[in-house]
């Protein structure tokens, strides 16, 4: 199937689409021996696409990683403010991978990284509302906030669907909540808790769909996904379309 060249280059894990466009404009990409132009399309099953003289591989096995993201790292490949990034944590994986979704600087837990552009696009599409479960440590009237968190809410950027919330342990004025959502608005769980009158002390993502955070991974550690785990991700996307 024909795709725009910048999409093919990005899906191959070589660069972002914006950077791929710059490569095309700079004459670093050819299609069937001819210099490519912005807007050109190709089918890797039929056309020969070269980047800096090297063939673009369309059937390379993709890499998927599970990272136990620690607090203090931004979910990006680079940061103009010089902050530590999740890309630095997985630099030893041997590929250029990018985060699937995000966790903010102060949040931790399950984060997926990959060089699979096609499945990334599908998992991040608004139509794909895979469940995401978080453990949240809060102060405030957690019991009184349950009705607010479990009902329809409207945040600054629009409405959010009701969450599934369960009370956990309470100790020293701190309550642990399990919060499960399907949408993925920026800092959604933190903003929901704030609107319900709670202060978030700690937030950790432990599940996406059928995929649970590996408890053997210490903060900052990662491992490749198993074939079974990756199949579960694909099935979750199919069931939520």
């Amino acid at each position: 199937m024909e795709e725009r060249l910048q999409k093919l280059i990005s899906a191959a894990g070589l660069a972002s689409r914006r950077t791929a466009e710059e490569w095309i404009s700079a004459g670093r990409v050819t299609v069937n021996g001819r210099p490519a132009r912005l807007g050109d399309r190709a089918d890797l099953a039929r056309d020969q696409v070269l980047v800096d003289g090297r063939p673009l591989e369309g059937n390379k096995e993709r890499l998927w990683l599970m990272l136990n993201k620690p607090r203090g790292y931004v979910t990006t490949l680079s940061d103009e403010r010089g902050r530590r990034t999740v890309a630095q944590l997985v630099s030893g994986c041997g590929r250029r991978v990018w985060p699937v979704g995000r966790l903010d600087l102060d949040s931790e837990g399950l984060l997926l990284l990959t060089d699979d552009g096609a499945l990334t696009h599908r998992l991040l599409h608004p139509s794909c509302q895979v469940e995401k479960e978080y453990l949240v440590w809060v102060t405030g009237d957690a019991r009184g906030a349950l009705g607010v968190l479990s009902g329809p809410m409207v945040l600054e950027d629009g409405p959010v669907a009701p969450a599934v919330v369960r009370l956990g342990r309470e100790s020293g004025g701190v309550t642990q909540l399990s919060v499960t959502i399907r949408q993925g608005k920026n800092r959604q769980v933190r903003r929901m808790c704030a609107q319900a009158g709670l202060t978030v002390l700690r937030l950790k993502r432990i599940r996406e769909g059928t995929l649970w955070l590996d408890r053997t991974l210490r903060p900052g550690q990662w491992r490749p996904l198993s074939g079974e785990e990756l199949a579960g991700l694909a099935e979750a996307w199919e069931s939520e379309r």
Side-chain angles (χ1 to χ4, degrees):
M1 184 177 71
E2 284 194 346
E3 299 277 8
R4 289 187 180 274
L5 291 176
Q6 58 266 38
K7 183 176 180 180
L8 292 174
I9 293 170
S10 176
L14 296 182
S16 68
R17 292 193 190 187
R18 180 176 298 178
T19 299
E21 290 174 354
E22 295 174 357
W23 290 358
I24 294 168
S25 298
R28 296 173 58 180
V29 182
T30 63
V31 179
N32 299 327
R34 297 182 179 181
R37 296 176 297 179
L38 286 176
D40 283 355
R41 306 170 72 92
D43 182 347
L44 293 182
R46 178 195 65 208
D47 301 309
Q48 183 187 56
V49 179
L50 303 182
V51 178
D52 292 333
R54 297 183 178 181
L56 187 65
E57 299 179 15
N59 58 354
K60 183 176 70 174
E61 183 178 351
R62 300 304 175 196
L63 179 65
W64 281 83
L65 306 178
M66 174 192 297
L67 170 69
N68 185 359
K69 176 194 173 297
R71 285 178 281 184
Y73 285 79
V74 290
T75 307
T76 185
L77 299 182
S78 61
D79 184 69
E80 66 278 1
R81 295 164 58 182
R83 295 174 294 182
R84 295 178 296 180
T85 72
V86 295
Q88 295 169 330
L89 294 173
V90 299
S91 59
C93 74
R95 301 264 192 95
R96 177 190 179 274
V97 295
W98 53 80
V100 181
R102 59 196 168 204
L103 282 172
D104 64 56
L105 178 71
D106 297 319
S107 297
E108 59 192 285
L110 175 60
L111 182 68
L112 298 175
L113 298 100
T114 186
D115 61 355
D116 187 337
L119 188 51
T120 298
H121 176 74
R122 288 185 285 177
L123 290 172
L124 295 181
H125 193 275
S127 65
C128 181
Q129 297 189 356
V130 175
E131 285 188 345
K132 301 176 183 66
E133 184 174 348
Y134 300 81
L135 294 181
V136 192
W137 289 260
V138 301
T139 57
D141 183 7
R143 292 185 181 275
L146 286 181
V148 178
L149 292 172
S150 301
M153 300 181 72
V154 179
L155 303 178
E156 299 92 332
D157 52 353
V160 294
V164 177
V165 186
R166 299 191 305 271
L167 279 173
R169 292 172 294 180
E170 298 181 55
S171 177
V174 177
T175 303
Q176 184 190 79
L177 301 176
S178 165
V179 180
T180 302
I181 61 174
R182 286 182 174 269
Q183 294 163 287
K185 292 181 179 291
N186 187 36
R187 298 175 66 89
Q188 179 176 331
V189 174
R190 291 183 182 275
R191 291 190 291 150
M192 290 171 62
C193 288
Q195 189 163 308
L198 303 175
T199 299
V200 174
L201 303 180
R202 183 183 177 192
L203 188 149
K204 182 177 184 177
R205 183 159 64 205
I206 60 171
R207 179 173 65 90
E208 288 195 42
T210 60
L211 184 64
W212 291 84
L213 176 64
D214 186 337
R215 293 185 178 183
T216 67
L217 292 177
R218 296 192 300 272
Q221 289 187 327
W222 57 270
R223 67 163 174 81
L225 292 189
S226 68
E228 183 179 356
E229 289 171 333
L230 185 53
L233 276 181
E235 289 174 6
W237 172 77
E238 291 289 347
S239 66
E240 295 297 334
R241 279 196 302 176

